[in-house]
Amino acid sequence: MGLYWRFKLIYNNEEMIKEITAKTLLSSSKHPDPWFGIKYTMNLYRGCQHQCIYCDSRSECYQIEDFAEILVKVNAIELLKKELPSKRVKGTVGLGSMNDCYMPVEKRYRLTRQALELIARCRFPVHIITKSDLALRDTDLLAQIGKVYAAVSFTITTADDSLAKKLEPGAPIPSRRYQAIKTLSEKGIYTGITLMPVLPFIEDNEENISTIINRARDAGAKYIIASFGMTLRDRQREYYYDKLACLFPGLRQRYEQRFGEQYSCSANQAGQLERAFHEACARYDIATRMTHFTKESPQLQLGLFDPGTHSGKA
Ligand code: SF4
């Protein structure tokens, strides 16, 4: 995606925020993705202030040199005004694939809110993946878009607030995310959880998984989409391993011995965890797949659905 650089630099608590202009905004895929049913994706920002230690947006393939530098696409709404009405196929617009569209900088720029206003006006469906309760600010628009289709997935990889502060240092704690799920669910907005990644040796225990599910039930989550493992690609792995060395003494060596330079890895006892997960979700009547805006794609037929290992985003 082409970008023109304007280099308006704003220093904010040692964080660098740069305003840029982009050439295009929406990218589309022929078939909606099997997880969330997304046909169009857009990223209003580059880089992410949530700075999760496991984030795979750091991988080389995404060509983001400095993931801590936040680029704001200040012309994003102008682009969307042109691009969205020209789409002949109504398909779900996904926000949050490469960064969290409700990271703190959104409070100032309000690009996500303006994009939702446009999506509502054009009557497109939307799926948002986030770790932030700032999504509550847009409850009115989500309710309006929900007449077509709106889903909000909150990523929760641990229900333990103090562990989350280490793993996802810039994101609101899980307790706040659960509160947001409760509020949105009570307003009738289709809301659930993405339980991914599940970090080996840190989060891959039954207690963590069952606590996440119990609290999801209490909050009224309609679905939990889980993936029991993580990606470990080049720069993502380097960053993650460095953080492990600082935050969890001895764990880096365990990863290196167990996974070496693999590009993805499974949680310990992944099969057992997955069985326990499905049993608990069935007990509480929580779906383990989302209802999508469209079910026409053959990939969405249940028998062909094979999620594999998904990366952690937003
Ligand atoms: S995992 Fe998501 S919220 Fe965390 S840094 Fe990456 S894009 Fe941001």
Side-chain angles (χ1 to χ4, degrees), residues 23-88:
K23 284 182 186 168
T24 59
L25 191 70
L26 277 179
S27 31
S28 51
S29 55
K30 205 165 172 196
H31 299 293
D33 83 279
W35 293 80
F36 309 112
I38 291 169
K39 176 153 182 68
Y40 303 107
T41 48
M42 67 174 164
N43 287 289
L44 302 162
Y45 304 96
R46 263 163 83 92
C48 185
Q49 293 172 298
H50 288 167
Q51 289 294 306
C52 306
I53 67 168
Y54 51 76
C55 182
D56 95 331
S57 291
R58 293 188 183 89
S59 307
E60 274 169 25
C61 57
Y62 300 122
Q63 300 178 331
I64 301 175
E65 286 309 313
D66 181 358
F67 192 60
E69 180 183 67
I70 306 305
L71 307 185
V72 181
K73 297 179 188 174
V74 285
N75 65 333
I77 303 306
E78 276 167 51
L79 291 172
L80 193 62
K81 273 182 194 161
K82 282 187 217 139
E83 293 176 26
L84 193 58
S86 72
K87 300 292 177 200
R88 282 183 296 138

Side-chain angles (χ1 to χ4, degrees), residues 45 172 242 262 281 307:
Y45 304 96
D242 285 350
Q262 283 175 218
C281 287

Side-chain angles (χ1 to χ4, degrees), residues 86-102:
S86 72
K87 300 292 177 200
R88 282 183 296 138
V89 178
K90 279 264 148 94
T92 301
V93 180
L95 288 94
S97 63
M98 292 296 295
N99 50 55
D100 196 314
C101 63
Y102 285 116

Side-chain angles (χ1 to χ4, degrees), residues 125-164:
V126 77
H127 174 262
I128 292 173
I129 185 163
T130 184
K131 288 192 175 99
S132 176
D133 54 355
L134 182 57
L136 293 174
R137 181 200 63 187
D138 296 336
T139 305
D140 56 337
L141 287 168
L142 292 166
Q144 194 184 333
I145 299 167
K147 290 174 190 162
V148 178
Y149 175 95
V152 185
S153 301
F154 286 87
T155 299
I156 297 181
T157 70
T158 171
D160 179 338
D161 288 343
S162 51
L163 177 59

